[in-house]
Amino acid sequence: MKIGVFDSGLGGEIVANRLANLFPGLEFMTANDRSHLPYGDKTADEIVGLTDQAIQGLLSSCQVIIIACNTATAAAIGTLRTRYPKVEFIGFEPAIKPAANGARVGSIMVLATPATLESNKYLRLKKRYARNITAIEPDCSTWASRIESGMFQRGDLLPVVKLAREHRVQAVVLGCTHYLAIEAEIAKLLPEATIQTQIVGVANRLNRVMLKYSYASSETSRNSAS
Ligand code: DGL
């Protein structure tokens, strides 16, 4: 069984590579939508339409599709689950919960696209897990495009690093899969903060889904043998 991985751009390939290291027995197939990147400046309706179109190539071969894009997850995953009920969709959401648990009181920083930060899904996450802490949300609206085109530079990070230090943030949430490309640089510049990605959470979810499928397929072969 192939696992589909979708992102507007290179975030999907990074996620697929990291998951392939954790699940060497699984085959990953990626899809992107570089011609419409960035998704982060689009309306929810536009993102739903584009994501649906972009995953068409995955639907015929993949029973499990990872929406490796926080922006598309926030806007489209509910609609996709309704439209394609036989497919198991796994989404990416900013890792607010582990970041807030670590910080308890104090500040965290959430780096994400404007569409993610404005989404109801994100606002609900924040209300649920980050009630007693401050979430600093700097403007990262140009980052995905700059990372995608190789234009992003260390200097782009410096104002955000300064802001993080001023607020003594204890955790930095990478709420866009493109930012996995600059994770090491952020960690180097902010050694005092933990970096939260969703990779482990998504890997755990994928593991549970695969267990469910292997149970289901052993049941099917038992039933067809009897
Ligand atoms: N990589 C996508 C995410 O995780 C966003 C990139 C974009 O704006 O297209 O949110």
Side-chain angles (χ1 to χ4, degrees), residues 7-9 11 37-41 68-72 113 116 144 175-178:
D7 178 44
S8 56
L37 188 145
Y39 274 21
D41 66 0
C69 175
N70 294 256
T71 311
T113 68
T116 296
C176 169
T177 51
H178 273 74

Side-chain angles (χ1 to χ4, degrees), residues 18-225:
R18 293 208 189 173
L19 291 175
N21 285 334
L22 297 172
F23 297 90
L26 292 182
E27 197 181 333
F28 292 89
M29 181 176 171
T30 57
N32 62 61
D33 188 17
R34 289 201 162 94
S35 57
H36 294 108
L37 188 145
Y39 274 21
D41 66 0
K42 299 194 168 42
T43 66
D45 282 350
E46 287 172 324
I47 296 166
V48 171
L50 291 171
T51 305
D52 191 347
Q53 217 166 49
I55 63 161
Q56 290 303 312
L58 298 176
L59 287 170
S60 50
S61 350
C62 306
Q63 244 171 310
V64 179
I65 298 181
I66 299 172
I67 303 295
C69 175
N70 294 256
T71 311
T73 297
I77 203 163
T79 308
L80 296 175
R81 284 182 175 135
T82 309
R83 281 185 193 166
Y84 308 106
K86 290 196 179 129
V87 177
E88 185 85 45
F89 286 99
I90 300 177
F92 262 76
E93 285 184 338
I96 295 283
K97 187 180 172 189
N101 279 349
R104 292 196 187 280
V105 287
S107 307
I108 63 169
M109 178 171 265
V110 183
L111 306 176
T113 68
T116 296
L117 295 177
E118 285 158 18
S119 69
N120 289 334
K121 238 183 198 314
Y122 173 72
L123 296 176
R124 277 200 300 271
L125 265 184
K126 219 164 56 159
K127 205 161 163 188
R128 181 151 179 211
Y129 298 114
R131 208 185 289 260
N132 301 319
I133 58 167
T134 310
I136 316 291
E137 297 156 352
D139 177 7
C140 302
S141 52
T142 61
W143 285 22
S145 301
R146 288 178 65 74
I147 291 170
E148 189 74 33
S149 62
M151 299 291 282
F152 194 90
Q153 286 174 357
R154 194 171 173 272
D156 293 309
L157 281 173
L158 299 181
V160 166
V161 167
K162 185 166 173 272
L163 191 67
R165 293 215 178 103
E166 277 163 16
H167 288 271
R168 297 173 193 278
V169 306
Q170 288 145 296
V172 177
V173 176
L174 301 190
C176 169
T177 51
H178 273 74
Y179 310 163
L180 292 168
I182 52 170
E183 180 181 354
E185 197 63 46
I186 297 175
K188 217 184 308 167
L189 287 166
L190 282 171
E192 63 276 31
T194 56
I195 309 296
Q196 295 288 351
T197 73
Q198 261 296 78
I199 296 288
V200 173
V202 166
N204 287 338
R205 176 97 186 88
L206 180 58
N207 203 28
R208 286 197 296 276
V209 168
M210 294 321 293
L211 287 173
K212 194 173 86 180
Y213 275 114
S214 60
Y215 175 74
S217 64
S218 63
E219 276 294 288
T220 315
S221 46
R222 220 191 337 263
N223 287 342
S224 54

